[in-house]
Amino acid sequence: MTRQGFIDFNTRLSPENSRKASSYAMAIRILDEVLPHQSVIDLHGQSLYDISDVATIDGLIELVLVEQAKMRRGEKSIFDYGQPNQNSYPRKNFCSAALKSLRQYAQYMQEVTEADRIVAEEADPKTISKKLITHFDITKEGEDKVSQTKRRKGQDYFRRMILTNYGGRCALTGIDIPQLLLASHIIPWSDKTHKQERLNPCNGICLSALYDKAFDQGLITFSPDDYSVVLSSALRENETKEYYDKHFGCIKGQKLAMPAEYLPNRDFLAYHRDKVFVGM
């Protein structure tokens, strides 16, 4: 586990915590400074990000809840060690809340480890998708909080898988800035007739944000014959505008950079051309 991974987890997988992500990371930093000076739980010199054992994190949550209560009562607590400006975090319960979020992050990383094992052991992309859907338990379509969290976890793992397959680069531009890259579904996630393909690594292409949006909206597609870019008539109507050649004319006919292992499924590309693409 890492600090950035923890922030990303809160931002992408826990929308209710997205605005608190940086504050939670700060709270963990404070705890990393404070906890070595307590004698209840031996962390063996580890950072909290090095602790994957959920039971250990649970013990720390109990300890910090008690110590936060002491601080609010004006009693001596483990937080007496450290800089004075650290007091606001435990007083507002940010430290215990951050640990609870860290526990969720640790549990998710355990799920990721198991998902990685599934992908490594299976050769058939359709089987991979089926097993990952079962693993992340995203068979239901509910909009309740639990269903949404499961769906986000599956989608986040799909992104990890696709970015790895494309070497962390946009298949059109070569952009390698992770924050600008998305795992574009060829057959959309919302297509309920192909739910079994949602986590199929051959159903994803790594694209930067502009081209992901254009692909998602059917403004561009990729030929199932040679993986070349086809522009829609809706885009070509703008060919006299200044941005057209810079962003779209320049990719017309360009072939996708091929991924390391899972090539885009040609049948899926034909489906996108026929069902999503908005016209020649």
Side-chain angles (χ1 to χ4, degrees), residues 40 61 63 108 119 121 163 196:
V40 179
I61 292 171
L63 170 66
Y108 173 59
V119 173
E121 292 182 356
L163 265 62
Q196 72 277 11

Short mmCIF file of all heavy atoms in Angstrom, two decimals, residues 40 61 63 108 119 121 163 196:
data_model
loop_
_atom_site.label_atom_id
_atom_site.label_comp_id
_atom_site.label_asym_id
_atom_site.label_seq_id
_atom_site.Cartn_x
_atom_site.Cartn_y
_atom_site.Cartn_z
N VAL A 40 1.35 0.19 23.33
CA VAL A 40 0.26 -0.79 23.32
C VAL A 40 0.40 -1.77 22.16
O VAL A 40 0.26 -2.99 22.33
CB VAL A 40 -1.11 -0.08 23.24
CG1 VAL A 40 -2.24 -1.09 23.21
CG2 VAL A 40 -1.28 0.88 24.41
N ILE A 61 -7.38 1.22 15.41
CA ILE A 61 -8.60 2.04 15.44
C ILE A 61 -9.12 2.15 16.87
O ILE A 61 -9.47 3.23 17.35
CB ILE A 61 -9.68 1.44 14.51
CG1 ILE A 61 -9.25 1.58 13.04
CG2 ILE A 61 -11.02 2.14 14.73
CD1 ILE A 61 -10.15 0.82 12.07
N LEU A 63 -7.43 1.77 19.64
CA LEU A 63 -6.48 2.57 20.42
C LEU A 63 -6.68 4.06 20.15
O LEU A 63 -6.76 4.87 21.08
CB LEU A 63 -5.05 2.16 20.05
CG LEU A 63 -3.93 3.06 20.59
CD1 LEU A 63 -3.86 2.99 22.10
CD2 LEU A 63 -2.58 2.67 19.97
N TYR A 108 -9.33 -3.84 0.06
CA TYR A 108 -9.42 -3.77 -1.40
C TYR A 108 -8.13 -4.29 -2.04
O TYR A 108 -8.18 -5.02 -3.04
CB TYR A 108 -9.69 -2.34 -1.86
CG TYR A 108 -9.62 -2.19 -3.37
CD1 TYR A 108 -10.47 -2.92 -4.19
CD2 TYR A 108 -8.69 -1.34 -3.96
CE1 TYR A 108 -10.40 -2.81 -5.57
CE2 TYR A 108 -8.62 -1.22 -5.35
CZ TYR A 108 -9.48 -1.96 -6.14
OH TYR A 108 -9.40 -1.84 -7.51
N VAL A 119 -6.18 -13.41 -13.11
CA VAL A 119 -5.73 -13.00 -14.45
C VAL A 119 -4.48 -13.78 -14.85
O VAL A 119 -4.34 -14.19 -16.01
CB VAL A 119 -5.46 -11.48 -14.49
CG1 VAL A 119 -4.83 -11.08 -15.82
CG2 VAL A 119 -6.75 -10.71 -14.26
N GLU A 121 -3.58 -16.77 -13.93
CA GLU A 121 -3.81 -18.21 -14.09
C GLU A 121 -4.72 -18.55 -15.26
O GLU A 121 -4.72 -19.70 -15.72
CB GLU A 121 -4.40 -18.80 -12.79
CG GLU A 121 -3.42 -18.80 -11.63
CD GLU A 121 -4.00 -19.43 -10.38
OE1 GLU A 121 -5.20 -19.79 -10.40
OE2 GLU A 121 -3.25 -19.58 -9.39
N LEU A 163 -4.64 -0.45 -18.38
CA LEU A 163 -3.45 0.40 -18.42
C LEU A 163 -2.18 -0.44 -18.41
O LEU A 163 -1.21 -0.13 -19.12
CB LEU A 163 -3.45 1.39 -17.25
CG LEU A 163 -4.02 2.78 -17.57
CD1 LEU A 163 -5.48 2.70 -17.97
CD2 LEU A 163 -3.85 3.73 -16.40
N GLN A 196 -21.48 -10.06 -19.38
CA GLN A 196 -20.40 -11.00 -19.11
C GLN A 196 -19.06 -10.54 -19.67
O GLN A 196 -18.01 -11.09 -19.34
CB GLN A 196 -20.75 -12.38 -19.68
CG GLN A 196 -20.71 -12.48 -21.20
CD GLN A 196 -21.98 -11.98 -21.88
OE1 GLN A 196 -22.84 -11.38 -21.23
NE2 GLN A 196 -22.12 -12.26 -23.17
#
